[in-house]
Amino acid sequence: MKQQDVFIPFCEKCALETNAIFKHLTRDEAEKINFEKDFRHYKRGDILYHEGNRISGFYCVHNGIIKVFKTGLDGKEQIIRFAKGGDIIAYRSVLSNEPACTTAKVIEDCQVCFIPTEILISFVKSNPAFALELVKLTCHELGEANSYITDIAQKTVRERLAEVLVQLVNDFGLDESKFLRISLTREELANIVGTATESVIRLLSEFKTDKLVELNGRKIKVLNIKGLEKISNVFN
Amino acid sequence: MKQQDVFIPFCEKCALETNAIFKHLTRDEAEKINFEKDFRHYKRGDILYHEGNRISGFYCVHNGIIKVFKTGLDGKEQIIRFAKGGDIIAYRSVLSNEPACTTAKVIEDCQVCFIPTEILISFVKSNPAFALELVKLTCHELGEANSYITDIAQKTVRERLAEVLVQLVNDFGLDESKFLRISLTREELANIVGTATESVIRLLSEFKTDKLVELNGRKIKVLNIKGLEKISNVFN
DNA sequence: CGGTACGTTGAGTCATATCAACCATAGTGG
DNA sequence: CCACTATGGTTGATATGACTCAACGTACCG
């Protein structure tokens, strides 16, 4: 491991540069997190926490990608969201004081800070601006969840897959060759859309035929995002 | 209108008896809401607020039933939740400072208090315990939304209908003759489950054949809730 | 009494799930 | 180095759940 890999970011820096939720922390509070936090590395496939477990803190993602999913009856995953640098995860369970309702698994090696529950709670109590920001975040996510419910309930698999691709482009962007900056298995794509792996494969190759995407194994090159948006039936 | 119908409840009373979220308010704060709130009556079919609009406050439901839904592309409603006495609605949009992502329509005549945004925000800032309670509420709802996403994505319509019926029993209860204490059209049931009206009708009559329910127009008599739970595939 | 909203049933269609076979790739261990 | 295994990707055939369309019944209401 090279020296620069073990550099531990200062919370003040994170707060300013990447993590909007912490921007209202005072210098003292940032110091406190800095002192209490536990900086951790995780490899692809590692599990940060398991659905059903009680967790003693939340995670502030510095880099890498984590998938957050629920496990259905037959063991089928339903991916709820992805977390990348600047996102926080597990705060829902911590704040509602319930067991984790999801599992978090690493998709791309990541560095995260683990921050104990008490700190979060104490900041909510001591820093009204921070509390408000946190409320805003959860309310925003609630709005997104509501949209997702409506989509899954009303849209076809084809529309949803297109929408998911657009969403992934928005969240992770494209590299210089227009390849999506997140690499998922077909099964994972299916587990976001809420469909069978085979359906994703078939629809992706339809999209390819229609010159909307190019496929190179797990890498997806997005040729026509407007076309995907049109299929997805979203106007925004 | 009879005299007792226009009685305006005191917020202190609501806070203690019905509305858990306000239990941490100080006496002064409760007084303030009492002074600022607008007590309103709505009839079946009335709309409290429309999706896409900015709203200047939230609603604290005293009695009656309100359905909260999103409108899909072809105008199909997706019911997100119901609010009854003790619930608050529209707080999501108010707190995230976004336009309303849902419409709220009265199902059973109701009395609500309308409380201006500023009050809510100021209490979040001035009363940490209240802020925490609010965060808890939104986080809890977020957890429920995640479950619902998984359900809709993975379960059959039959399973979901059974689950919705169980949920309605839990939320609204049964009267002395085992009739569900909320009366919905078949279309509304379909709009919770996320299916077509005809499918609900067919499945309900299957449930009737299987002696799980009896049907009397819009009134649903629940004969075998364990059976419904079993069909719904929930263990909790 | 006509109108409107809701409920019901049947028939036909289609999107999607399921099942099964097969291929490609990479890692493992003898 | 090769068989072995696991994992993921692909394709085809088939089954079916659920939607759509259409017709008709029912109830309530002004």
Side-chain angles (χ1 to χ4, degrees):
Chain A
M1 195 182 289
K2 286 174 294 178
Q3 187 57 33
Q4 70 244 39
D5 286 340
V6 295
F7 165 78
I8 299 179
F10 287 109
C11 290
E12 289 90 338
K13 199 160 179 298
C14 268
L16 290 172
E17 287 171 10
T18 60
N19 205 308
I21 189 75
F22 292 128
K23 67 171 181 274
H24 289 104
L25 292 187
T26 64
R27 179 170 287 266
D28 276 0
E29 285 164 342
E31 278 296 346
K32 177 154 194 214
I33 286 198
N34 230 352
F35 182 73
E36 299 269 0
K37 81 188 178 198
D38 185 13
F39 187 65
R40 302 176 181 177
H41 295 251
Y42 290 96
K43 293 266 169 215
R44 174 173 173 80
D46 288 350
I47 301 236
L48 304 212
Y49 60 86
H50 264 104
E51 184 172 351
N53 282 97
R54 294 232 163 236
I55 35 189
S56 59
F58 69 103
Y59 301 83
C60 185
V61 182
H62 190 244
N63 56 34
I65 302 177
I66 295 158
K67 69 171 168 179
V68 177
F69 62 92
K70 284 184 81 74
T71 306
L73 295 173
D74 45 354
K76 186 175 167 64
E77 295 177 3
Q78 177 64 39
I79 297 180
I80 301 292
R81 69 182 192 110
F82 293 101
K84 58 179 194 299
D87 293 332
I88 59 177
I89 58 176
Y91 69 94
R92 196 210 66 79
S93 316
V94 161
L95 288 169
S96 67
N97 194 29
E98 296 168 336
C101 73
T102 53
T103 303
K105 190 169 187 176
V106 176
I107 293 230
E108 279 182 21
D109 295 4
C110 63
Q111 302 178 305
V112 303
C113 292
F114 176 83
I115 302 165
T117 302
E118 306 81 66
I119 308 253
L120 186 63
I121 304 282
S122 76
F123 288 175
V124 169
K125 289 184 179 162
S126 66
N127 186 334
F130 174 73
L132 200 54
E133 206 58 40
L134 201 57
V135 170
K136 261 188 201 173
L137 176 70
T138 57
C139 285
H140 177 74
E141 280 208 29
L142 194 49
E144 298 206 323
N146 289 344
S147 291
Y148 203 37
I149 288 172
T150 309
D151 279 355
I152 295 195
Q154 300 196 356
K155 287 185 180 179
T156 64
V157 171
R158 182 189 177 79
E159 290 170 323
R160 267 143 55 200
L161 179 60
E163 182 173 358
V164 163
L165 291 175
V166 170
Q167 195 61 51
L168 289 173
V169 171
N170 290 340
D171 288 352
F172 295 97
L174 302 174
D175 67 16
E176 53 295 333
S177 328
K178 294 197 173 187
F179 278 106
L180 195 53
R181 277 191 211 272
I182 180 176
S183 144
L184 300 168
T185 66
R186 303 292 133 114
E187 191 180 4
E188 281 166 337
L189 275 171
N191 292 344
I192 314 171
V193 173
T195 185
T197 309
E198 296 96 322
S199 298
V200 167
I201 290 169
R202 282 181 240 270
L203 287 168
L204 275 182
S205 77
E206 275 184 45
F207 289 171
K208 182 178 157 193
T209 308
D210 299 346
K211 301 267 180 280
L212 297 164
V213 299
E214 268 177 35
L215 302 172
N216 188 348
R218 224 161 276 184
K219 300 295 273 177
I220 297 176
K221 185 170 185 170
V222 179
L223 299 177
N224 180 0
I225 191 145
K226 291 284 170 209
L228 288 174
E229 276 170 2
K230 190 158 181 191
I231 290 175
S232 78
N233 259 330
V234 199
F235 343 77
N236 44 16
Chain B
M1 196 182 289
K2 286 173 294 177
Q3 187 57 30
Q4 70 244 39
D5 286 340
V6 296
F7 167 77
I8 299 179
F10 288 109
C11 290
E12 288 91 338
K13 197 160 180 300
C14 268
L16 290 173
E17 287 172 11
T18 61
N19 205 308
I21 188 75
F22 291 128
K23 67 172 180 272
H24 289 105
L25 292 188
T26 64
R27 179 170 286 267
D28 276 359
E29 285 165 342
E31 278 295 348
K32 178 153 193 217
I33 287 196
N34 230 351
F35 183 74
E36 298 267 1
K37 82 187 177 198
D38 185 13
F39 187 65
R40 301 176 183 177
H41 294 252
Y42 290 96
K43 291 268 170 213
R44 175 173 172 79
D46 287 351
I47 300 230
L48 304 212
Y49 61 86
H50 263 105
E51 184 172 351
N53 283 101
R54 294 232 163 236
I55 35 188
S56 59
F58 70 104
Y59 301 83
C60 185
V61 181
H62 191 244
N63 55 35
I65 302 177
I66 295 158
K67 68 171 170 181
V68 177
F69 62 92
K70 286 183 78 76
T71 306
L73 296 173
D74 45 354
K76 186 175 166 64
E77 294 178 4
Q78 177 64 38
I79 296 181
I80 301 292
R81 68 182 193 110
F82 293 101
K84 58 181 193 302
D87 294 332
I88 59 176
I89 58 177
Y91 71 94
R92 197 211 64 81
S93 314
V94 161
L95 288 169
S96 67
N97 195 28
E98 296 167 337
C101 74
T102 52
T103 303
K105 191 170 184 175
V106 177
I107 294 230
E108 278 183 20
D109 295 3
C110 63
Q111 302 178 304
V112 304
C113 291
F114 175 83
I115 301 164
T117 302
E118 306 81 64
I119 308 253
L120 186 63
I121 303 280
S122 76
F123 288 175
V124 169
K125 288 185 179 161
S126 66
N127 186 334
F130 174 72
L132 202 54
E133 207 58 38
L134 203 55
V135 169
K136 261 188 200 170
L137 176 69
T138 58
C139 284
H140 177 73
E141 280 206 31
L142 196 48
E144 298 207 322
N146 290 344
S147 291
Y148 203 36
I149 288 171
T150 309
D151 279 355
I152 296 195
Q154 300 194 358
K155 287 185 180 178
T156 63
V157 171
R158 182 188 178 79
E159 290 169 323
R160 269 144 53 201
L161 179 60
E163 182 172 359
V164 163
L165 290 176
V166 172
Q167 195 61 51
L168 289 174
V169 171
N170 289 340
D171 288 352
F172 295 96
L174 302 174
D175 66 19
E176 53 295 333
S177 329
K178 295 197 172 186
F179 278 106
L180 195 53
R181 277 191 212 272
I182 179 176
S183 145
L184 299 168
T185 66
R186 303 292 135 112
E187 190 180 5
E188 282 167 338
L189 274 171
N191 292 343
I192 313 172
V193 173
T195 186
T197 309
E198 295 95 323
S199 299
V200 168
I201 290 169
R202 280 183 242 270
L203 287 168
L204 276 182
S205 77
E206 275 184 46
F207 289 171
K208 181 178 157 192
T209 308
D210 299 346
K211 301 269 182 277
L212 298 163
V213 299
E214 267 177 36
L215 302 172
N216 187 347
R218 224 162 275 184
K219 299 297 273 177
I220 297 176
K221 185 169 185 169
V222 179
L223 300 177
N224 180 359
I225 192 146
K226 291 284 170 207
L228 289 174
E229 276 169 2
K230 189 158 183 194
I231 290 176
S232 78
N233 259 329
V234 199
F235 343 77
N236 45 15

